[in-house]
Amino acid sequence: MAGQTGGPGLPRARGELSAAVVAHLRGDGPLPDPSLADAAEPYGDDLQLALYVCYELHYRGFGGVDPAREWDPALLAVRAALEHRFESALRRDVPPGAGLDDTLDALLVEPVDGTGVSHFLQDHATPDRLRAYAAQRSLYHLKEADPHAWVLPRLSGRAKAGMAAIEYDEFGAGRADRVHARLFADLMADLGLETAYGHYLDEGHAEMLALVNLMSLFGLHRRLRGALVGHFAAVEITSSPASRRLALAMKRAGAGAAAEFFYTEHVEADAVHEQVVRHDVVKGLLDDEPGLEADIVFGIDATGFLEDRLADRLLTDWGAAAQAVT
């Protein structure tokens, strides 16, 4: 077929919705009725995989799938139904947020007896656990910063400049070998993992798919630009201390220099980014559009909600007591 891409292969289906979407992209069957999304588990494997596949057409696509499918009206109608089910569940399940300043301040609080994935791995890292963690996170880190770049055309002035400055760092500051997605691939190589983009999609937990889908949902909809900025703030503000713990976990487990470097790089970079996000991106956006404050808070809180779900899943898999992510 003319225009086919050489991206990763389509994943194995996990239910009726994802089976129909994958089959349609292979040319083997019709799309699912959009109304089927109404009865799907909003955070479950089937809906999250189907939505991930729809979104991936806006990134690298899939091998053998015509790039024109990205704007297939019928597929977009299915995607819209999946998005509505997912977003509605988040707005139902994420508790109403506090004020923005209090919400941002809370992200900076490091509990004395911290719990969560980074704390657990700092003390109990094994090569197998680190490989399992990296395989899950690869669904985001091998496209790191890409979902956030969608918001740039929706910002202006100080918010745009601050966001672009951080994204420039994420994309290697002009050096291909320092692009953060490349650094994560190097980490994976140190751990003995396959580094190809999308390789671990079939192993990706629904909880991880939901986190990546959240970024795409916020990034691809202009109406959710405030939520995307909130999500970005949550990621950048909490990244530095968690990265310090994960760097130590990599070192203690003997994961390798590149594996350790990915996180030490984030300790320094994200400590700077945290200030730019808060004072330039968030404050700049609110100076331009003060009505977006509640959306920013929602983006922060929805990120924490889904990170907690992923943490519970990983800690349970590792035989640890479920704990809140940090």
Short mmCIF file of all heavy atoms in Angstrom, two decimals, residues 135-179:
data_model
loop_
_atom_site.label_atom_id
_atom_site.label_comp_id
_atom_site.label_asym_id
_atom_site.label_seq_id
_atom_site.Cartn_x
_atom_site.Cartn_y
_atom_site.Cartn_z
N ALA A 135 10.84 -1.63 31.06
CA ALA A 135 10.00 -2.06 29.94
C ALA A 135 8.67 -1.32 29.96
O ALA A 135 8.17 -0.89 28.91
CB ALA A 135 9.78 -3.56 29.99
N GLN A 136 8.07 -1.17 31.15
CA GLN A 136 6.82 -0.42 31.24
C GLN A 136 7.02 1.05 30.87
O GLN A 136 6.30 1.60 30.04
CB GLN A 136 6.26 -0.52 32.67
CG GLN A 136 5.80 -1.91 33.08
CD GLN A 136 4.63 -2.42 32.25
OE1 GLN A 136 3.70 -1.67 31.96
NE2 GLN A 136 4.69 -3.69 31.87
N ARG A 137 8.00 1.66 31.47
CA ARG A 137 8.23 3.09 31.25
C ARG A 137 8.67 3.40 29.83
O ARG A 137 8.55 4.55 29.37
CB ARG A 137 9.26 3.61 32.26
CG ARG A 137 8.71 3.76 33.67
CD ARG A 137 7.73 4.91 33.75
NE ARG A 137 7.25 5.12 35.10
CZ ARG A 137 6.37 6.07 35.45
NH1 ARG A 137 5.89 6.90 34.51
NH2 ARG A 137 5.96 6.20 36.66
N SER A 138 9.17 2.40 29.12
CA SER A 138 9.60 2.64 27.74
C SER A 138 8.46 3.12 26.86
O SER A 138 8.69 3.81 25.86
CB SER A 138 10.23 1.38 27.14
OG SER A 138 9.27 0.38 26.87
N LEU A 139 7.23 2.78 27.22
CA LEU A 139 6.09 3.22 26.41
C LEU A 139 5.97 4.73 26.42
O LEU A 139 5.45 5.32 25.45
CB LEU A 139 4.80 2.57 26.92
CG LEU A 139 4.76 1.05 26.85
CD1 LEU A 139 3.42 0.53 27.32
CD2 LEU A 139 5.08 0.54 25.45
N TYR A 140 6.48 5.37 27.46
CA TYR A 140 6.56 6.83 27.47
C TYR A 140 7.95 7.32 27.13
O TYR A 140 8.13 8.18 26.26
CB TYR A 140 6.14 7.40 28.82
CG TYR A 140 6.59 8.84 28.95
CD1 TYR A 140 6.13 9.80 28.04
CD2 TYR A 140 7.50 9.24 29.92
CE1 TYR A 140 6.57 11.13 28.11
CE2 TYR A 140 7.94 10.55 30.00
CZ TYR A 140 7.47 11.49 29.09
OH TYR A 140 7.91 12.79 29.16
N HIS A 141 8.97 6.80 27.80
CA HIS A 141 10.29 7.41 27.69
C HIS A 141 10.90 7.32 26.29
O HIS A 141 11.75 8.14 25.95
CB HIS A 141 11.24 6.80 28.72
CG HIS A 141 11.06 7.35 30.11
ND1 HIS A 141 11.13 8.70 30.39
CD2 HIS A 141 10.80 6.73 31.29
CE1 HIS A 141 10.92 8.89 31.67
NE2 HIS A 141 10.73 7.72 32.24
N LEU A 142 10.48 6.36 25.49
CA LEU A 142 10.99 6.32 24.11
C LEU A 142 10.27 7.32 23.21
O LEU A 142 10.63 7.47 22.04
CB LEU A 142 10.90 4.90 23.53
CG LEU A 142 11.84 3.88 24.19
CD1 LEU A 142 11.70 2.52 23.52
CD2 LEU A 142 13.30 4.35 24.13
N LYS A 143 9.27 8.01 23.76
CA LYS A 143 8.68 9.16 23.07
C LYS A 143 8.70 10.37 24.00
O LYS A 143 7.88 11.29 23.87
CB LYS A 143 7.25 8.86 22.58
CG LYS A 143 6.23 8.51 23.67
CD LYS A 143 4.76 8.72 23.22
CE LYS A 143 4.35 7.92 22.03
NZ LYS A 143 3.88 6.56 22.38
N GLU A 144 9.66 10.39 24.94
CA GLU A 144 9.69 11.43 25.95
C GLU A 144 9.67 12.81 25.32
O GLU A 144 10.41 13.09 24.39
CB GLU A 144 10.92 11.28 26.85
CG GLU A 144 10.92 12.26 28.01
CD GLU A 144 11.98 11.94 29.05
OE1 GLU A 144 12.53 10.83 29.06
OE2 GLU A 144 12.24 12.83 29.87
N ALA A 145 8.81 13.66 25.88
CA ALA A 145 8.60 15.05 25.47
C ALA A 145 7.69 15.18 24.26
O ALA A 145 7.12 16.25 24.04
CB ALA A 145 9.92 15.77 25.22
N ASP A 146 7.53 14.15 23.45
CA ASP A 146 6.67 14.27 22.26
C ASP A 146 5.23 14.65 22.62
O ASP A 146 4.67 15.57 21.99
CB ASP A 146 6.69 12.97 21.45
CG ASP A 146 8.02 12.71 20.77
OD1 ASP A 146 8.87 13.63 20.73
OD2 ASP A 146 8.22 11.59 20.28
N PRO A 147 4.57 14.00 23.58
CA PRO A 147 3.19 14.38 23.88
C PRO A 147 3.07 15.82 24.36
O PRO A 147 2.06 16.48 24.11
CB PRO A 147 2.78 13.39 24.98
CG PRO A 147 3.71 12.23 24.84
CD PRO A 147 5.00 12.83 24.38
N HIS A 148 4.11 16.29 25.07
CA HIS A 148 4.05 17.66 25.60
C HIS A 148 4.23 18.70 24.51
O HIS A 148 3.78 19.84 24.64
CB HIS A 148 5.12 17.83 26.68
CG HIS A 148 4.96 16.88 27.82
ND1 HIS A 148 6.00 16.13 28.33
CD2 HIS A 148 3.87 16.52 28.53
CE1 HIS A 148 5.56 15.38 29.32
NE2 HIS A 148 4.28 15.59 29.46
N ALA A 149 4.91 18.31 23.41
CA ALA A 149 5.14 19.28 22.34
C ALA A 149 3.84 19.71 21.67
O ALA A 149 3.79 20.80 21.06
CB ALA A 149 6.09 18.68 21.29
N TRP A 150 2.79 18.91 21.77
CA TRP A 150 1.52 19.30 21.14
C TRP A 150 0.98 20.61 21.70
O TRP A 150 0.23 21.32 21.02
CB TRP A 150 0.45 18.22 21.38
CG TRP A 150 0.72 16.87 20.79
CD1 TRP A 150 0.94 15.71 21.46
CD2 TRP A 150 0.76 16.51 19.40
NE1 TRP A 150 1.13 14.66 20.59
CE2 TRP A 150 1.02 15.13 19.32
CE3 TRP A 150 0.60 17.24 18.22
CZ2 TRP A 150 1.13 14.45 18.11
CZ3 TRP A 150 0.73 16.57 17.01
CH2 TRP A 150 0.98 15.19 16.97
N VAL A 151 1.35 20.96 22.95
CA VAL A 151 0.75 22.15 23.56
C VAL A 151 1.40 23.44 23.07
O VAL A 151 0.81 24.52 23.22
CB VAL A 151 0.85 22.06 25.10
CG1 VAL A 151 2.23 22.48 25.63
CG2 VAL A 151 -0.24 22.89 25.77
N LEU A 152 2.58 23.38 22.47
CA LEU A 152 3.28 24.61 22.11
C LEU A 152 2.46 25.55 21.23
O LEU A 152 2.46 26.77 21.48
CB LEU A 152 4.62 24.27 21.46
CG LEU A 152 5.73 23.84 22.42
CD1 LEU A 152 6.91 23.25 21.67
CD2 LEU A 152 6.18 25.01 23.29
N PRO A 153 1.77 25.05 20.20
CA PRO A 153 0.99 25.99 19.38
C PRO A 153 -0.20 26.60 20.13
O PRO A 153 -0.78 27.58 19.64
CB PRO A 153 0.48 25.11 18.22
CG PRO A 153 1.35 23.91 18.22
CD PRO A 153 1.74 23.69 19.64
N ARG A 154 -0.53 26.05 21.30
CA ARG A 154 -1.69 26.53 22.05
C ARG A 154 -1.30 27.55 23.12
O ARG A 154 -2.17 28.06 23.84
CB ARG A 154 -2.40 25.34 22.72
CG ARG A 154 -3.19 24.43 21.76
CD ARG A 154 -2.32 23.36 21.13
NE ARG A 154 -3.00 22.58 20.11
CZ ARG A 154 -3.56 21.39 20.31
NH1 ARG A 154 -3.57 20.86 21.52
NH2 ARG A 154 -4.14 20.75 19.31
N LEU A 155 0.00 27.82 23.25
CA LEU A 155 0.50 28.77 24.24
C LEU A 155 1.03 30.02 23.54
O LEU A 155 1.25 30.03 22.34
CB LEU A 155 1.62 28.13 25.06
CG LEU A 155 1.30 26.83 25.80
CD1 LEU A 155 2.55 26.30 26.51
CD2 LEU A 155 0.17 27.02 26.79
N SER A 156 1.27 31.04 24.33
CA SER A 156 1.86 32.27 23.80
C SER A 156 2.74 32.90 24.86
O SER A 156 2.72 32.49 26.03
CB SER A 156 0.76 33.26 23.35
OG SER A 156 -0.04 33.63 24.47
N GLY A 157 3.53 33.87 24.44
CA GLY A 157 4.32 34.67 25.37
C GLY A 157 5.22 33.86 26.28
O GLY A 157 5.95 32.96 25.86
N ARG A 158 5.18 34.20 27.57
CA ARG A 158 6.09 33.61 28.56
C ARG A 158 5.87 32.11 28.69
O ARG A 158 6.83 31.34 28.85
CB ARG A 158 5.89 34.31 29.90
CG ARG A 158 6.92 33.92 30.97
CD ARG A 158 7.14 35.08 31.95
NE ARG A 158 5.89 35.57 32.48
CZ ARG A 158 5.41 35.26 33.69
NH1 ARG A 158 6.08 34.45 34.48
NH2 ARG A 158 4.27 35.78 34.11
N ALA A 159 4.61 31.68 28.64
CA ALA A 159 4.32 30.25 28.76
C ALA A 159 4.93 29.46 27.61
O ALA A 159 5.54 28.41 27.81
CB ALA A 159 2.81 30.02 28.82
N LYS A 160 4.78 29.98 26.39
CA LYS A 160 5.36 29.30 25.23
C LYS A 160 6.89 29.27 25.32
O LYS A 160 7.52 28.23 25.06
CB LYS A 160 4.92 29.98 23.93
CG LYS A 160 5.46 29.28 22.67
CD LYS A 160 5.23 30.11 21.43
CE LYS A 160 3.79 30.05 20.95
NZ LYS A 160 3.48 28.78 20.23
N ALA A 161 7.49 30.40 25.68
CA ALA A 161 8.95 30.47 25.75
C ALA A 161 9.50 29.51 26.80
O ALA A 161 10.49 28.81 26.56
CB ALA A 161 9.40 31.90 26.06
N GLY A 162 8.86 29.46 27.96
CA GLY A 162 9.31 28.56 29.01
C GLY A 162 9.16 27.11 28.62
O GLY A 162 10.05 26.28 28.86
N MET A 163 8.02 26.79 28.02
CA MET A 163 7.79 25.41 27.59
C MET A 163 8.79 25.01 26.51
O MET A 163 9.35 23.90 26.54
CB MET A 163 6.36 25.29 27.05
CG MET A 163 5.90 23.86 26.80
SD MET A 163 5.47 23.06 28.35
CE MET A 163 5.12 21.39 27.77
N ALA A 164 9.04 25.89 25.57
CA ALA A 164 9.99 25.59 24.50
C ALA A 164 11.40 25.40 25.04
O ALA A 164 12.16 24.54 24.55
CB ALA A 164 9.96 26.69 23.45
N ALA A 165 11.77 26.17 26.05
CA ALA A 165 13.10 26.04 26.64
C ALA A 165 13.28 24.67 27.28
O ALA A 165 14.34 24.03 27.12
CB ALA A 165 13.32 27.15 27.67
N ILE A 166 12.27 24.21 27.99
CA ILE A 166 12.36 22.89 28.61
C ILE A 166 12.36 21.80 27.56
O ILE A 166 13.15 20.84 27.63
CB ILE A 166 11.19 22.69 29.60
CG1 ILE A 166 11.29 23.70 30.74
CG2 ILE A 166 11.20 21.26 30.16
CD1 ILE A 166 10.09 23.71 31.65
N GLU A 167 11.51 21.92 26.57
CA GLU A 167 11.46 20.92 25.51
C GLU A 167 12.80 20.85 24.75
O GLU A 167 13.24 19.77 24.35
CB GLU A 167 10.33 21.24 24.52
CG GLU A 167 8.93 21.01 25.08
CD GLU A 167 8.59 19.54 25.20
OE1 GLU A 167 8.88 18.96 26.26
OE2 GLU A 167 8.03 18.97 24.24
N TYR A 168 13.45 21.99 24.60
CA TYR A 168 14.75 22.00 23.94
C TYR A 168 15.74 21.12 24.70
O TYR A 168 16.50 20.34 24.10
CB TYR A 168 15.26 23.44 23.85
CG TYR A 168 16.62 23.60 23.20
CD1 TYR A 168 16.80 23.33 21.85
CD2 TYR A 168 17.71 24.04 23.95
CE1 TYR A 168 18.05 23.48 21.25
CE2 TYR A 168 18.96 24.20 23.35
CZ TYR A 168 19.12 23.91 22.01
OH TYR A 168 20.35 24.07 21.42
N ASP A 169 15.70 21.21 26.02
CA ASP A 169 16.56 20.33 26.83
C ASP A 169 16.16 18.87 26.67
O ASP A 169 17.01 17.99 26.55
CB ASP A 169 16.47 20.72 28.30
CG ASP A 169 17.20 22.01 28.63
OD1 ASP A 169 18.00 22.47 27.79
OD2 ASP A 169 16.97 22.56 29.72
N GLU A 170 14.85 18.60 26.69
CA GLU A 170 14.38 17.23 26.58
C GLU A 170 14.79 16.61 25.25
O GLU A 170 15.06 15.41 25.17
CB GLU A 170 12.84 17.18 26.70
CG GLU A 170 12.28 17.72 28.01
CD GLU A 170 12.47 16.78 29.17
OE1 GLU A 170 12.85 15.61 28.95
OE2 GLU A 170 12.25 17.22 30.32
N PHE A 171 14.86 17.42 24.22
CA PHE A 171 15.25 16.94 22.90
C PHE A 171 16.75 17.06 22.65
O PHE A 171 17.20 17.07 21.51
CB PHE A 171 14.46 17.67 21.82
CG PHE A 171 13.00 17.31 21.78
CD1 PHE A 171 12.02 18.29 21.80
CD2 PHE A 171 12.59 15.98 21.73
CE1 PHE A 171 10.67 17.95 21.77
CE2 PHE A 171 11.25 15.64 21.70
CZ PHE A 171 10.29 16.61 21.72
N GLY A 172 17.54 17.17 23.73
CA GLY A 172 18.98 17.06 23.61
C GLY A 172 19.72 18.35 23.39
O GLY A 172 20.93 18.33 23.18
N ALA A 173 19.02 19.49 23.43
CA ALA A 173 19.67 20.80 23.25
C ALA A 173 20.54 20.83 21.99
O ALA A 173 21.64 21.35 21.97
CB ALA A 173 20.51 21.16 24.48
N GLY A 174 20.02 20.21 20.92
CA GLY A 174 20.72 20.22 19.65
C GLY A 174 21.66 19.05 19.43
O GLY A 174 22.28 18.94 18.36
N ARG A 175 21.77 18.15 20.40
CA ARG A 175 22.66 16.99 20.29
C ARG A 175 21.83 15.71 20.25
O ARG A 175 21.12 15.40 21.20
CB ARG A 175 23.62 16.94 21.48
CG ARG A 175 24.65 18.04 21.49
CD ARG A 175 25.58 17.91 22.69
NE ARG A 175 26.19 16.58 22.77
CZ ARG A 175 26.97 16.20 23.79
NH1 ARG A 175 27.23 17.05 24.79
NH2 ARG A 175 27.49 14.99 23.80
N ALA A 176 21.93 14.98 19.17
CA ALA A 176 21.14 13.76 19.02
C ALA A 176 21.44 12.73 20.10
O ALA A 176 20.54 12.01 20.55
CB ALA A 176 21.38 13.15 17.63
N ASP A 177 22.69 12.68 20.56
CA ASP A 177 23.06 11.68 21.56
C ASP A 177 22.58 12.03 22.95
O ASP A 177 22.66 11.21 23.87
CB ASP A 177 24.59 11.47 21.58
CG ASP A 177 25.35 12.74 21.96
OD1 ASP A 177 24.90 13.85 21.60
OD2 ASP A 177 26.40 12.61 22.63
N ARG A 178 22.05 13.26 23.13
CA ARG A 178 21.53 13.68 24.43
C ARG A 178 20.02 13.81 24.45
O ARG A 178 19.46 14.24 25.47
CB ARG A 178 22.16 15.02 24.84
CG ARG A 178 23.66 14.97 25.04
CD ARG A 178 24.07 14.01 26.14
NE ARG A 178 23.64 14.46 27.45
CZ ARG A 178 24.38 15.23 28.26
NH1 ARG A 178 25.59 15.62 27.87
NH2 ARG A 178 23.93 15.59 29.44
N VAL A 179 19.35 13.45 23.36
CA VAL A 179 17.88 13.40 23.38
C VAL A 179 17.47 12.40 24.46
O VAL A 179 18.00 11.29 24.55
CB VAL A 179 17.34 12.96 22.00
CG1 VAL A 179 15.84 12.71 22.06
CG2 VAL A 179 17.67 14.01 20.95
#
